[in-house]
Amino acid sequence: MYTLRKYHDDKVQSLTYEKGGVSASVGIMDVGEYEFGAMEKETTTVTSGRILVMLSGDKEWKVYKPFKTFIIPGHTNFRLKVDEISTYLCYYG
């Protein structure tokens, strides 16, 4: 049901919920620059702070502030830059 996941020396942490085909997480990120790979589509809404996103092949960072949503296609690597503590809500699939 609930799983706590930690990444990048515990600077990124998420609490993931999975049940009945629903998979979502809420998370918090400390200041830093991070790289991840998405196995499936991720729809992420920033809930506080500011997250800069760069998908594979992009040449410029895109800025997302609270209540703005970005989508990461499945099977894609992406980078995040966080310049203030930020939180998010993410749905998978």
Side-chain angles (χ1 to χ4, degrees):
M1 300 256 271
Y2 292 99
T3 305
L4 177 62
R5 295 193 167 111
K6 300 178 181 184
Y7 308 93
H8 300 283
D9 296 322
D10 296 344
K11 291 183 177 183
V12 178
Q13 296 190 22
S14 68
L15 183 61
T16 302
Y17 173 84
E18 294 181 55
K19 184 176 181 183
V22 174
S23 183
S25 65
V26 293
I28 187 165
M29 293 186 279
D30 198 354
V31 173
E33 195 167 325
Y34 311 103
E35 186 166 350
F36 292 95
M39 296 306 294
E40 58 185 313
K41 177 181 171 184
E42 298 183 8
T43 303
T44 303
T45 301
V46 176
T47 53
S48 70
R50 185 174 99 125
I51 301 173
L52 290 81
V53 179
M54 185 178 294
L55 296 175
S56 293
D58 284 354
K59 299 203 185 293
E60 295 183 19
W61 292 96
K62 295 178 183 160
V63 178
Y64 294 88
K65 295 181 180 181
F67 311 110
K68 297 299 179 185
T69 300
F70 58 91
I71 297 174
I72 307 295
H75 307 288
T76 303
N77 290 331
F78 61 100
R79 293 171 46 203
L80 302 176
K81 194 184 302 186
V82 179
D83 54 14
E84 60 184 273
I85 294 173
S86 300
T87 61
Y88 63 88
L89 169 63
C90 181
Y91 287 95
Y92 303 95

